Amino acid sequence: MALLSAREALTFPGGDNSSDTIINDVHLNLTTLSHWNYTLYSNGSLSNGTWCLLAFQPYTPSYVLPNGTFLNVTWCWTPTHPIDVRGGVAIGYAVLFAIALVLTLVALNKHGRLHLPAEKRFYPIGRRWQWYWGSWVCATAMISLLTSVDVDRYFLPELPIILTSFFWYLMQMGAVALVWEAVRHWGSWMERQFIDPDPFALRDDDKRSKVEFYLPLVFYLFLWLNFFMIVPRNWEPIQHQRYPQQTTNDAEPTATDARFKAGAFMLVVCWLITVYSLRHSIKYYCPRNRGIFNRIIGFVRDTPLRFILVVPLAAALIAYQALVAFRFEYSPLLVGGLNAAIFAGGYTPSVLIVLIQAIFGFLNPNEDRELLRQRRERTQALDREMGIVYKPSWWRRFNGELLDPSASMRDRLLRNVREVHGAKRPAPGGEMPASAATDGTPDVEMTPVSPALSSRPPRSGQSERARQSPPMELPGRLPLTQSTPNSGGAAACQREELMTDGGPPPPSYTEALRAGPSSQAPGAARSVSAQSSTSTSQPPQQIRSMLDV
C-alpha cells in the first residue's frame, strides 16, 4: 500500500483525555494509533502505509487493541460503493458477448464439420481457427467486463482495474487475429475451389504459394510481439490511482510508456498484412483487372461484404489502442475515465466483429457441402454437352427395374437373361406373363451352340484331344451345353443343377488324377492322360502349343 500524501492528512479529533480520540462517535486509543503510525486522511481512511481501513460510518472500527489490531474493521480495498455507470454498461456488453459466444460455437459446429475426406493441402483446422479466435475474444471480453463492475465499487483501486486492463488487451489481440484468420481462410477457400476441377491448375513452388506460406508466419510474429510488449510487465502501478497526484506520478506514466506504444505499432503491422493477404487472394483467384483505377475498383468489387465490414472495424480497434497509449484520459486503464470513449472504442468494434462473423457463418454454407454442389453442377453440365439424359427416379419403379433386395441369385440371373433376349419385364409386384414364359425362348443355361458348330465334322489334321475337348465357354456367361434327343436325362440333371443356388464345389485336379478313369460317369469321355498309351520309360512329351496342355 503506497503512502498517501501528507497534505491530505488530518489531525485526530480530541477525546476524553490526551490518550483518547473520538472518530465518528467511537473512542479509540490515540497512544496505540500513534505507536503504529496510523494517520487519519480527508477521504475517511485510516492508514499507516501498510494497512488501510475505513473510518467513516458505518465502517468505523469499534475498538483497537494495544498490539494494533482493530475489531469490526473494513479494509479500504472493499467494494463499498454501488454499481456505477461503467459497471452497468459493462454488464450489458457482457450479455452481448455471451450471445456472440453461443453463436460462434454454433457456427464452429456448422463449418468445422467434415463431409469430405480431409486433404493434406487443406487441413480441417484451417477453417476452424477463425471460430477459435472468436471464442477467445468473447471469453476474454466477458472477464474484462465483469471485473470492471468492481472498478467503481472499490473504495480504493485494487485488483479489478488490473484484471480489466489485462484481459482487455488480450481481447484486442484476439479480435485482430480473428479478422486475419477470416481473410486468410477465405483465400484458402478460393484456392480450393480453383483447383478442385483441375488439381494441376496451380503450381506448388511459385511465388503465390511462397507468399501464402510465409505470410501467416510474419503475421503471428508481430502479433506475439504485441503480446510480449504488453502482457509480461509489472501491472501494480496501474492500481495507484487513489488520489490525483498518485495517478499522475505512477499510473499514467506506466499506461503510456514505450512498450504500450510499441505494442500498438505491432497491431498496425498485423492489420497491413491482413489487407495485403486480401489483395493477394483477389489478385490470383478473382478476375484480373488492368490499370490502377480498374484494380482499385475490382478490389472493392471482389471483396466480400463481410470483410468490407470487419476490416475497418479492426482498424478502428487498433486506432483506439494507439490513442490510449498516448492519451491516458481516454484509456480503460483509468479509474473513473470517460465511459463513452472506453466502450465505443474499446469494446464496440470487437463485439461487432464477432457478431458479423457469426451472422455470415449462418448465411454461408458448409464448404464441403458447397464443394459437392459445385461438383454436381459440373457433372450435369458435362452430361448436357455429351447429350446424356438421365431418366427420372420414378422411371425404374414404373418399368419394373427396381431390384428386390430379397431376391435370390437365380431370380437375378433370370432377370438378366430376359433383358438379353428382349423378353417383357414382369409388372411391378407381379409374375412373368404367360406369353413371355411360353413363347419358346429357352433359358441361357439350355441354349445350345449353333447346329453348324455342334454337327460340323472335324477338320483334317485335328487332333483327337481337340475333338474330345468340351465346348468352349463364352466369356461372361454360364457354360453352354448341347441338348440332343439322346441326352434328355443328362440335360435335365444339368438343368436342375444349374438352376440351384450354390452346390458342392467341383473336385480338384489332384483328386481327379487320383480317382482315375474308373471314377468317371458312364458314357463320359476319358481324359487324354488316361487314354495315353505312352510308357513312363519314354522321354516326356514335348509341348508344342497351348492346345497340348
Side-chain angles (χ1 to χ4, degrees):
M1 177 67 65
L3 293 175
L4 298 180
S5 176
R7 292 176 298 176
E8 297 182 4
L10 302 178
T11 304
F12 284 103
D16 295 342
N17 50 50
S18 59
S19 63
D20 181 65
T21 180
I22 301 176
I23 301 176
N24 294 325
D25 299 332
V26 177
H27 292 267
L28 298 177
N29 192 322
L30 183 59
T31 303
T32 303
L33 296 177
S34 301
H35 175 74
W36 295 104
N37 297 325
Y38 277 98
T39 304
L40 182 65
Y41 293 95
S42 57
N43 61 357
S45 62
L46 190 64
S47 175
N48 65 348
T50 302
W51 303 102
C52 179
L53 52 94
L54 302 181
F56 56 88
Q57 291 293 345
Y59 306 107
T60 306
S62 60
Y63 189 76
V64 57
L65 300 177
N67 61 357
T69 303
F70 290 87
L71 301 180
N72 298 328
V73 67
T74 301
W75 304 110
C76 295
W77 45 86
T78 303
T80 58
H81 302 302
I83 296 177
D84 205 351
V85 176
R86 180 170 181 171
V89 178
I91 294 175
Y93 271 82
V95 173
L96 289 178
F97 275 104
I99 296 174
L101 176 60
V102 175
L103 298 178
T104 301
L105 294 177
V106 174
L108 171 62
N109 180 61
K110 174 183 177 181
H111 292 274
R113 185 173 299 176
L114 297 181
H115 300 277
L116 288 173
E119 302 179 22
K120 185 178 180 180
R121 193 169 181 177
F122 304 99
Y123 292 97
I125 196 173
R127 70 174 74 173
R128 301 169 184 166
W129 266 116
Q130 54 183 323
W131 310 111
Y132 292 156
W133 279 117
S135 304
W136 169 277
V137 171
C138 294
T140 53
M142 286 190 293
I143 296 174
S144 176
L145 290 166
L146 293 178
T147 54
S148 67
V149 174
D150 288 335
V151 170
D152 296 333
R153 297 188 65 225
Y154 268 54
F155 180 78
L156 294 180
E158 242 289 344
L159 185 61
I161 186 63
I162 296 179
L163 292 178
T164 297
S165 306
F166 180 82
F167 285 98
W168 180 78
Y169 278 105
L170 293 180
M171 178 199 68
Q172 300 275 300
M173 182 182 69
V176 175
L178 167 61
V179 177
W180 154 255
E181 284 295 335
V183 172
R184 180 206 60 78
H185 175 65
W186 178 75
S188 176
W189 166 236
M190 296 292 290
E191 179 188 6
R192 189 180 182 188
Q193 296 179 92
F194 198 88
I195 69 173
D196 187 66
D198 183 9
F200 304 99
L202 299 175
R203 296 176 55 186
D204 294 339
D205 56 350
D206 56 349
K207 178 183 177 181
R208 173 198 59 82
S209 60
K210 293 180 180 179
V211 169
E212 294 177 355
F213 176 79
Y214 288 106
L215 210 59
L217 302 179
V218 178
F219 174 86
Y220 280 107
L221 171 63
F222 284 94
L223 186 68
W224 288 115
L225 285 176
N226 169 265
F227 176 84
F228 288 117
M229 287 291 104
I230 293 177
V231 174
R233 64 166 54 243
N234 182 19
W235 289 86
E236 185 178 359
I238 301 297
Q239 68 183 359
H240 294 169
Q241 304 182 43
R242 290 144 192 167
Y243 54 93
Q245 185 179 357
Q246 190 185 45
T247 302
T248 304
N249 295 337
D250 296 344
E252 184 175 356
T254 303
T256 58
D257 63 359
R259 294 186 62 181
F260 279 108
K261 294 182 176 67
F265 174 75
M266 300 302 172
L267 288 188
V268 173
V269 177
C270 292
W271 186 84
L272 294 176
I273 294 175
T274 303
V275 176
Y276 177 78
S277 176
L278 179 61
R279 176 69 183 91
H280 171 84
S281 300
I282 293 176
K283 175 182 177 181
Y284 285 97
Y285 307 122
C286 293
R288 298 290 183 91
N289 296 286
R290 299 184 178 274
I292 183 172
F293 293 103
N294 290 334
R295 290 179 181 177
I296 295 175
I297 295 174
F299 176 76
V300 177
R301 181 185 65 249
D302 296 331
T303 300
L305 177 61
R306 175 172 50 135
F307 299 146
I308 294 178
L309 299 176
V310 299
V311 172
L313 288 174
L317 178 150
I318 299 172
Y320 177 76
Q321 186 175 137
L323 174 65
V324 301
F326 290 91
R327 301 291 298 273
F328 185 62
E329 59 269 22
Y330 301 107
S331 176
L333 282 66
L334 176 62
V335 177
L338 188 60
N339 292 325
I342 292 174
F343 289 100
Y347 293 96
T348 301
S350 299
V351 70
L352 289 179
I353 288 173
V354 178
L355 288 175
I356 290 172
Q357 277 285 113
I359 291 173
F360 279 88
F362 280 98
L363 296 179
N364 297 332
N366 181 279
E367 296 177 5
D368 287 351
R369 292 183 179 273
E370 176 64 18
L371 209 60
L372 291 173
R373 186 191 64 81
Q374 295 179 10
R375 292 176 181 179
R376 288 194 299 269
E377 289 185 352
R378 290 195 300 267
T379 303
Q380 293 173 2
L382 292 175
D383 291 343
R384 286 193 297 268
E385 292 179 2
M386 299 177 64
I388 300 176
V389 179
Y390 291 96
K391 298 176 181 178
S393 58
W394 52 265
W395 182 269
R396 295 174 62 87
R397 185 179 298 104
F398 181 78
N399 290 272
E401 297 182 3
L402 192 63
L403 296 178
D404 186 7
S406 61
S408 62
M409 182 59 66
R410 173 180 176 275
D411 297 335
R412 297 182 182 182
L413 291 175
L414 290 177
R415 185 184 189 89
N416 296 338
V417 169
R418 297 189 188 101
E419 291 183 358
V420 171
H421 287 273
K424 297 182 179 180
R425 304 178 185 273
E431 298 294 338
M432 185 71 181
S435 59
T438 60
D439 57 356
T441 303
D443 292 338
V444 69
E445 293 91 343
M446 303 302 115
T447 303
V449 183
S450 174
L453 296 177
S454 59
S455 59
R456 185 176 57 186
R459 296 190 301 269
S460 60
Q462 188 176 11
S463 63
E464 182 68 19
R465 182 178 304 166
R467 288 196 301 269
Q468 295 181 0
S469 61
M472 184 182 300
E473 297 180 2
L474 297 180
R477 291 194 177 186
L478 295 175
L480 303 180
T481 59
Q482 298 183 6
S483 178
T484 59
N486 298 330
S487 61
C493 295
Q494 188 176 10
R495 182 187 298 108
E496 182 180 357
E497 180 180 357
L498 291 175
M499 297 292 285
T500 305
D501 293 337
S508 62
Y509 180 74
T510 306
E511 294 177 355
L513 290 178
R514 291 177 179 177
S518 60
S519 61
Q520 296 182 359
R526 295 179 180 270
S527 63
V528 177
S529 60
Q531 295 179 357
S532 175
S533 59
T534 305
S535 174
T536 56
S537 60
Q538 296 181 1
Q541 183 181 1
Q542 297 295 330
I543 300 176
R544 293 184 299 274
S545 65
M546 291 301 297
L547 295 176
D548 297 334
V549 177

